[in-house]
Structures are given as structure tokens and as C-alpha cells.
Amino acid sequence: MEQENNFKAWEDELIRNHNRPPSHIGNNLRQNMGFFRLFGDLFELYMPKMFKIIVQVVGGTDNVPQTPRRQPPNTIQEQP
Amino acid sequence: MLVSQYLLTQQQWYFNELYERYSPKVFAKCIALLKDEVWAQDALQDIFIKVVLRLSDFGERSKFSTWLYSITYNYCIDQVRKRKYDVLMPDESWDHLDVSDETADDKYLLETKIQELKVVMVELPVTDRVLLLMKYQDDLSIRDIAESMNKTESAIKMQLLRAKAKFKNLHEKLFKHQ
């Protein structure tokens, strides 16, 4: 026989009595998540540019050595 | 699993499912610990925002529910302490309690009538309430409780022993005549 557990019965009673949490809480959460996502996207989009501008303003250069671009296999090489 | 699917796709639908599945239990725990429905509603919202922000830290070492409930319990303890909204009998008033004499067995606690259980739990300090809920409501192991509370297993064993003793002591005081 299963052991009686009134702690769990109490929890069930609380869930029963208070039903589900009010729907406005779920809606607020979804709004907050939308804001977080927008903020994250903006951060991702503009932060590298902002950083570059800040580096230039404080006297740095943006001459970062770039790796040569990979050429597709059928590219006609220019003759020197 | 819903959590990994959400982390992978960032689709709102998966989060909605998580919220629908776990919010009633989290809400019930908040009410049990904060003893106020409006406060519990605010807590529920804050807890799920914390969950969104920390979801990528969830390492799947434990069950999602264990991780979520540990955030819930720690949040509620902080709230109660911040507002100094604890019980009529603060921790110091229990200093005289001899744990070895008062130790209650699990059966005693589990079979306490719900109406009496509610009254006794309301009177206990919030950390003891949390420990008893973790142990008897969520069936967490000592190891999981220790991890959630950021304490050693031996410290948790001792605290649990004291919480059980306080429970029995208070229960006898309040309901002995019945």
C-alpha cells in the first residue's frame, strides 16, 4: 500500500483551489520575452558597428588583416 | 525535451508549453511560502523571467522541474527575508530545541492532517518550510537539496532534522488537546 503523503495532498489542494495562475501573467511574460528578443537582435546587429566606431574615435584603426577570399574552383585566374 | 527544443529553435511555442505545464505547481509553491496570492503572482512572473534568462545555464544534470523549483524556493526565501515577512517564531526562539529528543519520523509528518499541516507550516521559519517541501512534496534527495541550497549534504541533513523536530514540537503544542 502506498504511504499517505499529506504534503502532496496539500499541494494538490492548493492547485485545485487557486486553479491556474491568472492569464495576464502569461501575457506579461510573453511581452517581456518579445522585448528581450528584440533587444538581443538589436545588440547583435549594431554592437559590432558601435565597437568599430568607438575604436576609431579613440584613435585606433580598422585595418584588420583580412584572409584572402576563397575563389570558386572554376574562376579564371587573371594573368599577371 | 521541451527545454532543449526551445534552446535550439527559440520558438515561443516551446516556452508556452513549459509555462503551461509548470506554472500551476510553481504558483502553488509560491502561495505556500509567501502566504499571499497577489505576492505569489508577482513572484511567479519574476521566477519565469529568471528562468528565461538562465535557461542556457541549465545543464540537464538534474531534472528541469528540480532546477525550476530550486529557483522558486531560493526566490521565495529571498523575498521573505527582504520584506522581513517571516514567521511569528523566528529561528532564535528555537535555539533551546533538543533535536535528539524531538526527532519526528517521516510517517508522523506525512500523515499529519492537511488542516493541521497548513497551520504548522505557516508558523515555521521559511527555510524550514522550504526544506520540508523539497523533501516531502518534491521527493528530492539530500544531494539535490544540498545542490539547490548551495550547502553540504551533512549541513542539509542536520537542518532537515531540526526542521522535522520543530514541526513535531509545534504540532504537539498546537494540537495536543485534540
Side-chain angles (χ1 to χ4, degrees), chain B residues 41-64:
Chain B
Q41 288 176 9
D42 292 344
L44 178 69
Q45 190 170 319
D46 288 351
I47 287 163
F48 271 91
I49 287 176
K50 267 178 194 271
V51 168
V52 173
L53 296 175
R54 290 199 209 158
L55 206 55
S56 54
D57 298 339
F58 170 58
E60 297 189 25
R61 276 176 300 147
S62 58
K63 279 163 64 182
F64 176 72

PDB file of all heavy atoms in Angstrom, chain B residues 41-64:
ATOM      1  N   GLN B  41       1.630  35.959  -7.289  1.00  0.00           N
ATOM      2  CA  GLN B  41       1.510  36.237  -8.732  1.00  0.00           C
ATOM      3  C   GLN B  41       2.742  36.989  -9.237  1.00  0.00           C
ATOM      4  O   GLN B  41       3.297  36.665 -10.286  1.00  0.00           O
ATOM      5  CB  GLN B  41       0.260  37.078  -9.007  1.00  0.00           C
ATOM      6  CG  GLN B  41      -1.025  36.300  -8.838  1.00  0.00           C
ATOM      7  CD  GLN B  41      -2.256  37.181  -9.027  1.00  0.00           C
ATOM      8  OE1 GLN B  41      -2.171  38.319  -9.431  1.00  0.00           O
ATOM      9  NE2 GLN B  41      -3.407  36.625  -8.709  1.00  0.00           N
ATOM     10  N   ASP B  42       3.168  38.008  -8.456  1.00  0.00           N
ATOM     11  CA  ASP B  42       4.382  38.758  -8.833  1.00  0.00           C
ATOM     12  C   ASP B  42       5.585  37.817  -8.867  1.00  0.00           C
ATOM     13  O   ASP B  42       6.419  37.880  -9.768  1.00  0.00           O
ATOM     14  CB  ASP B  42       4.664  39.885  -7.819  1.00  0.00           C
ATOM     15  CG  ASP B  42       3.609  40.971  -7.890  1.00  0.00           C
ATOM     16  OD1 ASP B  42       2.872  41.006  -8.892  1.00  0.00           O
ATOM     17  OD2 ASP B  42       3.525  41.769  -6.934  1.00  0.00           O
ATOM     18  N   ALA B  43       5.631  36.946  -7.842  1.00  0.00           N
ATOM     19  CA  ALA B  43       6.766  36.016  -7.741  1.00  0.00           C
ATOM     20  C   ALA B  43       6.797  35.084  -8.950  1.00  0.00           C
ATOM     21  O   ALA B  43       7.857  34.846  -9.535  1.00  0.00           O
ATOM     22  CB  ALA B  43       6.651  35.215  -6.448  1.00  0.00           C
ATOM     23  N   LEU B  44       5.633  34.584  -9.334  1.00  0.00           N
ATOM     24  CA  LEU B  44       5.565  33.658 -10.477  1.00  0.00           C
ATOM     25  C   LEU B  44       6.142  34.314 -11.733  1.00  0.00           C
ATOM     26  O   LEU B  44       6.933  33.704 -12.464  1.00  0.00           O
ATOM     27  CB  LEU B  44       4.101  33.256 -10.709  1.00  0.00           C
ATOM     28  CG  LEU B  44       3.841  32.339 -11.883  1.00  0.00           C
ATOM     29  CD1 LEU B  44       4.399  30.951 -11.628  1.00  0.00           C
ATOM     30  CD2 LEU B  44       2.351  32.231 -12.178  1.00  0.00           C
ATOM     31  N   GLN B  45       5.757  35.581 -11.951  1.00  0.00           N
ATOM     32  CA  GLN B  45       6.253  36.283 -13.140  1.00  0.00           C
ATOM     33  C   GLN B  45       7.776  36.464 -13.065  1.00  0.00           C
ATOM     34  O   GLN B  45       8.487  36.167 -14.028  1.00  0.00           O
ATOM     35  CB  GLN B  45       5.565  37.644 -13.239  1.00  0.00           C
ATOM     36  CG  GLN B  45       5.845  38.334 -14.554  1.00  0.00           C
ATOM     37  CD  GLN B  45       4.979  39.558 -14.728  1.00  0.00           C
ATOM     38  OE1 GLN B  45       3.804  39.552 -14.411  1.00  0.00           O
ATOM     39  NE2 GLN B  45       5.578  40.614 -15.230  1.00  0.00           N
ATOM     40  N   ASP B  46       8.261  36.895 -11.912  1.00  0.00           N
ATOM     41  CA  ASP B  46       9.708  37.110 -11.757  1.00  0.00           C
ATOM     42  C   ASP B  46      10.479  35.794 -11.925  1.00  0.00           C
ATOM     43  O   ASP B  46      11.551  35.772 -12.524  1.00  0.00           O
ATOM     44  CB  ASP B  46      10.017  37.691 -10.366  1.00  0.00           C
ATOM     45  CG  ASP B  46       9.571  39.140 -10.260  1.00  0.00           C
ATOM     46  OD1 ASP B  46       9.190  39.708 -11.300  1.00  0.00           O
ATOM     47  OD2 ASP B  46       9.586  39.681  -9.146  1.00  0.00           O
ATOM     48  N   ILE B  47       9.917  34.721 -11.386  1.00  0.00           N
ATOM     49  CA  ILE B  47      10.611  33.428 -11.464  1.00  0.00           C
ATOM     50  C   ILE B  47      10.729  32.974 -12.916  1.00  0.00           C
ATOM     51  O   ILE B  47      11.799  32.554 -13.360  1.00  0.00           O
ATOM     52  CB  ILE B  47       9.871  32.369 -10.599  1.00  0.00           C
ATOM     53  CG1 ILE B  47      10.107  32.658  -9.115  1.00  0.00           C
ATOM     54  CG2 ILE B  47      10.348  30.953 -10.935  1.00  0.00           C
ATOM     55  CD1 ILE B  47       9.139  31.979  -8.187  1.00  0.00           C
ATOM     56  N   PHE B  48       9.654  33.122 -13.688  1.00  0.00           N
ATOM     57  CA  PHE B  48       9.733  32.680 -15.086  1.00  0.00           C
ATOM     58  C   PHE B  48      10.638  33.600 -15.922  1.00  0.00           C
ATOM     59  O   PHE B  48      11.265  33.132 -16.870  1.00  0.00           O
ATOM     60  CB  PHE B  48       8.338  32.518 -15.701  1.00  0.00           C
ATOM     61  CG  PHE B  48       7.810  31.131 -15.478  1.00  0.00           C
ATOM     62  CD1 PHE B  48       7.046  30.829 -14.372  1.00  0.00           C
ATOM     63  CD2 PHE B  48       8.130  30.090 -16.350  1.00  0.00           C
ATOM     64  CE1 PHE B  48       6.590  29.541 -14.134  1.00  0.00           C
ATOM     65  CE2 PHE B  48       7.676  28.805 -16.124  1.00  0.00           C
ATOM     66  CZ  PHE B  48       6.899  28.527 -15.023  1.00  0.00           C
ATOM     67  N   ILE B  49      10.743  34.882 -15.549  1.00  0.00           N
ATOM     68  CA  ILE B  49      11.706  35.753 -16.252  1.00  0.00           C
ATOM     69  C   ILE B  49      13.129  35.279 -15.935  1.00  0.00           C
ATOM     70  O   ILE B  49      13.970  35.171 -16.823  1.00  0.00           O
ATOM     71  CB  ILE B  49      11.505  37.236 -15.851  1.00  0.00           C
ATOM     72  CG1 ILE B  49      10.217  37.748 -16.506  1.00  0.00           C
ATOM     73  CG2 ILE B  49      12.690  38.086 -16.296  1.00  0.00           C
ATOM     74  CD1 ILE B  49       9.819  39.148 -16.135  1.00  0.00           C
ATOM     75  N   LYS B  50      13.370  34.942 -14.666  1.00  0.00           N
ATOM     76  CA  LYS B  50      14.678  34.392 -14.293  1.00  0.00           C
ATOM     77  C   LYS B  50      14.967  33.132 -15.093  1.00  0.00           C
ATOM     78  O   LYS B  50      16.083  32.907 -15.544  1.00  0.00           O
ATOM     79  CB  LYS B  50      14.691  34.031 -12.797  1.00  0.00           C
ATOM     80  CG  LYS B  50      15.207  35.135 -11.898  1.00  0.00           C
ATOM     81  CD  LYS B  50      15.115  34.672 -10.455  1.00  0.00           C
ATOM     82  CE  LYS B  50      15.281  35.827  -9.505  1.00  0.00           C
ATOM     83  NZ  LYS B  50      16.651  36.101  -9.139  1.00  0.00           N
ATOM     84  N   VAL B  51      13.947  32.294 -15.226  1.00  0.00           N
ATOM     85  CA  VAL B  51      14.116  31.031 -15.953  1.00  0.00           C
ATOM     86  C   VAL B  51      14.512  31.309 -17.412  1.00  0.00           C
ATOM     87  O   VAL B  51      15.437  30.699 -17.934  1.00  0.00           O
ATOM     88  CB  VAL B  51      12.824  30.177 -15.874  1.00  0.00           C
ATOM     89  CG1 VAL B  51      12.866  29.022 -16.859  1.00  0.00           C
ATOM     90  CG2 VAL B  51      12.638  29.646 -14.465  1.00  0.00           C
ATOM     91  N   VAL B  52      13.818  32.282 -18.048  1.00  0.00           N
ATOM     92  CA  VAL B  52      14.148  32.614 -19.450  1.00  0.00           C
ATOM     93  C   VAL B  52      15.596  33.058 -19.542  1.00  0.00           C
ATOM     94  O   VAL B  52      16.342  32.619 -20.425  1.00  0.00           O
ATOM     95  CB  VAL B  52      13.235  33.755 -19.962  1.00  0.00           C
ATOM     96  CG1 VAL B  52      13.667  34.215 -21.341  1.00  0.00           C
ATOM     97  CG2 VAL B  52      11.795  33.308 -19.998  1.00  0.00           C
ATOM     98  N   LEU B  53      16.003  33.930 -18.613  1.00  0.00           N
ATOM     99  CA  LEU B  53      17.352  34.490 -18.686  1.00  0.00           C
ATOM    100  C   LEU B  53      18.435  33.464 -18.370  1.00  0.00           C
ATOM    101  O   LEU B  53      19.551  33.570 -18.852  1.00  0.00           O
ATOM    102  CB  LEU B  53      17.475  35.699 -17.736  1.00  0.00           C
ATOM    103  CG  LEU B  53      16.586  36.887 -18.089  1.00  0.00           C
ATOM    104  CD1 LEU B  53      16.686  37.973 -17.030  1.00  0.00           C
ATOM    105  CD2 LEU B  53      16.958  37.461 -19.453  1.00  0.00           C
ATOM    106  N   ARG B  54      18.084  32.469 -17.544  1.00  0.00           N
ATOM    107  CA  ARG B  54      19.101  31.494 -17.125  1.00  0.00           C
ATOM    108  C   ARG B  54      18.979  30.147 -17.816  1.00  0.00           C
ATOM    109  O   ARG B  54      19.720  29.220 -17.484  1.00  0.00           O
ATOM    110  CB  ARG B  54      18.976  31.243 -15.614  1.00  0.00           C
ATOM    111  CG  ARG B  54      19.396  32.395 -14.766  1.00  0.00           C
ATOM    112  CD  ARG B  54      19.659  31.856 -13.382  1.00  0.00           C
ATOM    113  NE  ARG B  54      19.422  32.832 -12.354  1.00  0.00           N
ATOM    114  CZ  ARG B  54      19.169  32.512 -11.086  1.00  0.00           C
ATOM    115  NH1 ARG B  54      19.090  31.261 -10.723  1.00  0.00           N
ATOM    116  NH2 ARG B  54      18.996  33.448 -10.187  1.00  0.00           N
ATOM    117  N   LEU B  55      18.042  30.036 -18.734  1.00  0.00           N
ATOM    118  CA  LEU B  55      17.759  28.717 -19.319  1.00  0.00           C
ATOM    119  C   LEU B  55      18.989  28.103 -19.981  1.00  0.00           C
ATOM    120  O   LEU B  55      19.185  26.884 -19.943  1.00  0.00           O
ATOM    121  CB  LEU B  55      16.611  28.838 -20.322  1.00  0.00           C
ATOM    122  CG  LEU B  55      15.787  27.593 -20.573  1.00  0.00           C
ATOM    123  CD1 LEU B  55      15.234  27.025 -19.284  1.00  0.00           C
ATOM    124  CD2 LEU B  55      14.622  27.907 -21.514  1.00  0.00           C
ATOM    125  N   SER B  56      19.835  28.957 -20.563  1.00  0.00           N
ATOM    126  CA  SER B  56      21.015  28.410 -21.225  1.00  0.00           C
ATOM    127  C   SER B  56      22.019  27.833 -20.212  1.00  0.00           C
ATOM    128  O   SER B  56      22.896  27.057 -20.570  1.00  0.00           O
ATOM    129  CB  SER B  56      21.688  29.472 -22.089  1.00  0.00           C
ATOM    130  OG  SER B  56      21.945  30.592 -21.300  1.00  0.00           O
ATOM    131  N   ASP B  57      21.889  28.223 -18.927  1.00  0.00           N
ATOM    132  CA  ASP B  57      22.778  27.661 -17.888  1.00  0.00           C
ATOM    133  C   ASP B  57      22.301  26.298 -17.398  1.00  0.00           C
ATOM    134  O   ASP B  57      23.024  25.596 -16.696  1.00  0.00           O
ATOM    135  CB  ASP B  57      22.830  28.580 -16.651  1.00  0.00           C
ATOM    136  CG  ASP B  57      23.388  29.946 -16.984  1.00  0.00           C
ATOM    137  OD1 ASP B  57      24.076  30.043 -18.019  1.00  0.00           O
ATOM    138  OD2 ASP B  57      23.135  30.889 -16.223  1.00  0.00           O
ATOM    139  N   PHE B  58      21.059  25.961 -17.737  1.00  0.00           N
ATOM    140  CA  PHE B  58      20.524  24.672 -17.266  1.00  0.00           C
ATOM    141  C   PHE B  58      21.276  23.546 -17.983  1.00  0.00           C
ATOM    142  O   PHE B  58      21.172  23.367 -19.182  1.00  0.00           O
ATOM    143  CB  PHE B  58      19.022  24.600 -17.570  1.00  0.00           C
ATOM    144  CG  PHE B  58      18.426  23.243 -17.356  1.00  0.00           C
ATOM    145  CD1 PHE B  58      18.493  22.621 -16.119  1.00  0.00           C
ATOM    146  CD2 PHE B  58      17.805  22.567 -18.393  1.00  0.00           C
ATOM    147  CE1 PHE B  58      17.961  21.367 -15.924  1.00  0.00           C
ATOM    148  CE2 PHE B  58      17.259  21.310 -18.205  1.00  0.00           C
ATOM    149  CZ  PHE B  58      17.341  20.718 -16.971  1.00  0.00           C
ATOM    150  N   GLY B  59      22.063  22.835 -17.189  1.00  0.00           N
ATOM    151  CA  GLY B  59      22.965  21.853 -17.795  1.00  0.00           C
ATOM    152  C   GLY B  59      22.362  20.478 -18.009  1.00  0.00           C
ATOM    153  O   GLY B  59      23.038  19.573 -18.460  1.00  0.00           O
ATOM    154  N   GLU B  60      21.112  20.286 -17.710  1.00  0.00           N
ATOM    155  CA  GLU B  60      20.445  18.985 -17.814  1.00  0.00           C
ATOM    156  C   GLU B  60      21.120  17.924 -16.945  1.00  0.00           C
ATOM    157  O   GLU B  60      21.036  16.743 -17.228  1.00  0.00           O
ATOM    158  CB  GLU B  60      20.341  18.528 -19.273  1.00  0.00           C
ATOM    159  CG  GLU B  60      19.486  19.472 -20.092  1.00  0.00           C
ATOM    160  CD  GLU B  60      19.157  18.960 -21.491  1.00  0.00           C
ATOM    161  OE1 GLU B  60      19.172  17.737 -21.670  1.00  0.00           O
ATOM    162  OE2 GLU B  60      18.891  19.791 -22.361  1.00  0.00           O
ATOM    163  N   ARG B  61      21.856  18.373 -15.899  1.00  0.00           N
ATOM    164  CA  ARG B  61      22.420  17.413 -14.946  1.00  0.00           C
ATOM    165  C   ARG B  61      21.312  16.900 -14.043  1.00  0.00           C
ATOM    166  O   ARG B  61      21.323  15.782 -13.587  1.00  0.00           O
ATOM    167  CB  ARG B  61      23.506  18.074 -14.092  1.00  0.00           C
ATOM    168  CG  ARG B  61      24.871  18.084 -14.760  1.00  0.00           C
ATOM    169  CD  ARG B  61      25.850  18.823 -13.911  1.00  0.00           C
ATOM    170  NE  ARG B  61      25.425  20.203 -13.710  1.00  0.00           N
ATOM    171  CZ  ARG B  61      25.641  20.914 -12.627  1.00  0.00           C
ATOM    172  NH1 ARG B  61      26.261  20.383 -11.608  1.00  0.00           N
ATOM    173  NH2 ARG B  61      25.230  22.170 -12.521  1.00  0.00           N
ATOM    174  N   SER B  62      20.348  17.799 -13.775  1.00  0.00           N
ATOM    175  CA  SER B  62      19.191  17.378 -12.972  1.00  0.00           C
ATOM    176  C   SER B  62      17.939  17.510 -13.836  1.00  0.00           C
ATOM    177  O   SER B  62      18.011  17.972 -14.971  1.00  0.00           O
ATOM    178  CB  SER B  62      19.074  18.277 -11.744  1.00  0.00           C
ATOM    179  OG  SER B  62      18.956  19.615 -12.154  1.00  0.00           O
ATOM    180  N   LYS B  63      16.802  17.108 -13.255  1.00  0.00           N
ATOM    181  CA  LYS B  63      15.544  17.263 -14.000  1.00  0.00           C
ATOM    182  C   LYS B  63      15.212  18.752 -14.089  1.00  0.00           C
ATOM    183  O   LYS B  63      15.563  19.520 -13.190  1.00  0.00           O
ATOM    184  CB  LYS B  63      14.424  16.540 -13.245  1.00  0.00           C
ATOM    185  CG  LYS B  63      14.414  15.040 -13.509  1.00  0.00           C
ATOM    186  CD  LYS B  63      13.617  14.301 -12.487  1.00  0.00           C
ATOM    187  CE  LYS B  63      12.140  14.659 -12.486  1.00  0.00           C
ATOM    188  NZ  LYS B  63      11.388  13.941 -11.445  1.00  0.00           N
ATOM    189  N   PHE B  64      14.498  19.131 -15.143  1.00  0.00           N
ATOM    190  CA  PHE B  64      14.127  20.541 -15.297  1.00  0.00           C
ATOM    191  C   PHE B  64      13.295  21.002 -14.104  1.00  0.00           C
ATOM    192  O   PHE B  64      13.478  22.099 -13.587  1.00  0.00           O
ATOM    193  CB  PHE B  64      13.360  20.762 -16.606  1.00  0.00           C
ATOM    194  CG  PHE B  64      12.867  22.170 -16.764  1.00  0.00           C
ATOM    195  CD1 PHE B  64      13.753  23.203 -17.024  1.00  0.00           C
ATOM    196  CD2 PHE B  64      11.516  22.469 -16.614  1.00  0.00           C
ATOM    197  CE1 PHE B  64      13.299  24.515 -17.148  1.00  0.00           C
ATOM    198  CE2 PHE B  64      11.065  23.776 -16.739  1.00  0.00           C
ATOM    199  CZ  PHE B  64      11.960  24.795 -17.007  1.00  0.00           C
TER     200      PHE B  64
END
